Amino acid sequence: MRTKERRLIVAFHTTHDAMAFEDYCLSRGAAGRLIPLPREISAGCGLAWSAPPGDMAGLRDLLAGAGIAPQHIKEMEI
Amino acid sequence: MERTLDCMGMACPLPVINAKKAIEAFTEDGTLRILVDNETAVQNLTRLGEHNGFTVTSAQDGEKAFTVTMAVKASAAKAATVPAEAVSCAVPAKGGRVVVLSADTMGGGDEQLGRKLMKAFIFALTSQDVLPDKVICYNRGAFLTTQDQDTVNDLKKLEAAGVTVMTCGTCLDYYGLKEALKVGIVSNMYDIVEAQVGASLIIRP
């Protein structure tokens, strides 16, 4: 029932990476939240970071700052 | 002796009762075919036949059409009995689907992971085509309707779509969250019990 919206989605190599990135973003007031990994990215189980669309560079900076290498970054409708 | 019994459209346990009457009328070995329109009836008739020592087979003839075939032995027909498990009728759905969130974590194990999983569960719940009728939060589930903004927003989306979100008032009081409720209504134990007793499905992550 939820209306789909455009988001930047980050998939991680491990659940620990996903949780650590959430902590990092929250501590810096960066917008976004953890969500279940969208099926469009993978049928597997996992957590993904969902951020507002548009600022791919800012998102990459955050990942670099956290020292986390993402598995995928994709802008998509979820 | 062969007989076909049409029980299409009959509510449980009528197919079993009618089949038992038909079995009793067998004065010689033969075949009884019973036509029914649901799987519960197939299972109940199979239990009836097997309980009385008959070979039973069944086939699905259509989306809502089944044939149960019993090889009736006349020697057992007169004394045929109905086992209790052959009158198992599914209780019709009354209260719909209820999601019970009795903690702010999902599953046992690591608490931090459990919190993330619960948030993910509630997010995924908002994307379902079929939504629950009610979401009930109690004990640490009360934190989900008060403290976590992402979860509160998801629960607000569910509420806007017609889902009743209820939080245990005793729990809000116990955790000092009485003034912090951000979504749904405060509920009491009577409502919580009533919702679960009347539910056709309870989902408890």
Side-chain angles (χ1 to χ4, degrees):
Chain A
M1 47 68 60
R2 181 164 42 79
T3 313
K4 292 204 169 196
E5 55 183 339
R6 202 139 191 94
R7 303 287 290 178
L8 270 172
I9 302 298
V10 184
F12 300 91
H13 290 287
T14 68
T15 301
H16 287 283
D17 280 354
M19 289 164 67
F21 189 61
E22 183 192 40
D23 290 343
Y24 183 81
C25 289
L26 292 180
S27 69
R28 277 153 186 79
R33 64 175 295 188
L34 276 186
I35 62 166
L37 188 63
R39 286 193 179 116
E40 292 85 346
I41 292 182
S42 166
C45 181
L47 296 172
W49 182 254
S50 163
D55 190 9
M56 179 74 86
L59 188 57
R60 286 195 184 280
D61 286 347
L62 281 169
L63 285 159
I68 293 169
Q71 193 177 45
H72 299 289
I73 306 180
K74 191 174 178 184
E75 188 167 318
M76 60 188 292
E77 289 213 328
I78 57 163
Chain B
M1 185 174 179
E2 288 205 12
R3 188 171 168 202
T4 299
L5 188 63
D6 186 356
C7 294
M8 300 289 277
M10 286 187 190
C12 177
L14 285 177
V16 167
I17 292 167
N18 288 341
K20 179 179 177 286
K21 283 181 189 164
I23 290 167
E24 287 168 348
F26 273 71
T27 53
E28 56 185 81
D29 291 0
T31 303
L32 174 62
R33 288 188 188 84
I34 308 140
L35 311 179
V36 292
D37 60 4
N38 64 85
E39 283 213 36
T40 303
V42 173
Q43 289 165 13
N44 287 344
L45 289 165
T46 302
R47 291 189 195 107
L48 170 72
E50 289 176 347
H51 175 78
N52 288 290
F54 309 147
T55 301
V56 183
T57 57
S58 60
Q60 183 161 8
D61 310 310
E63 194 188 339
K64 288 186 173 180
F66 303 82
T67 302
V68 179
T69 306
M70 288 186 196
V72 178
K73 292 176 193 159
S75 57
K78 274 277 174 241
T81 56
V82 178
E85 62 268 23
V87 286
S88 155
C89 302
V91 178
K94 292 187 293 179
R97 297 157 185 255
V98 174
V99 173
V100 173
L101 307 176
S102 60
D104 56 352
T105 56
M106 182 175 177
D110 185 84
E111 205 170 297
Q112 198 191 359
L113 175 64
R115 282 208 188 91
K116 308 291 181 199
L117 295 178
M118 181 58 92
K119 284 177 69 168
F121 174 87
I122 295 170
F123 175 86
L125 196 59
T126 66
S127 66
Q128 298 304 300
D129 292 330
V130 180
L131 295 175
D133 298 274
K134 290 173 183 163
V135 174
I136 302 174
C137 302
Y138 54 76
N139 211 318
R140 284 195 67 88
F143 283 83
L144 300 168
T145 51
T146 55
Q147 298 293 292
D148 188 284
Q149 199 53 49
D150 289 334
T151 301
V152 165
N153 288 341
D154 287 339
L155 290 170
K156 279 183 177 170
K157 284 176 189 164
L158 290 172
E159 192 176 43
V163 178
T164 302
V165 179
M166 304 155 69
T167 304
C168 157
T170 306
C171 311
L172 288 169
D173 184 43
Y174 180 85
Y175 289 114
L177 298 171
K178 248 180 154 177
E179 309 303 322
L181 188 67
K182 294 195 177 77
V183 56
I185 56 173
V186 179
S187 190
N188 60 50
M189 192 56 81
Y190 297 104
D191 292 339
I192 290 169
V193 170
E194 199 176 286
Q196 294 188 64
V197 168
S200 58
L201 178 68
I202 294 176
I203 300 153
R204 199 171 163 166

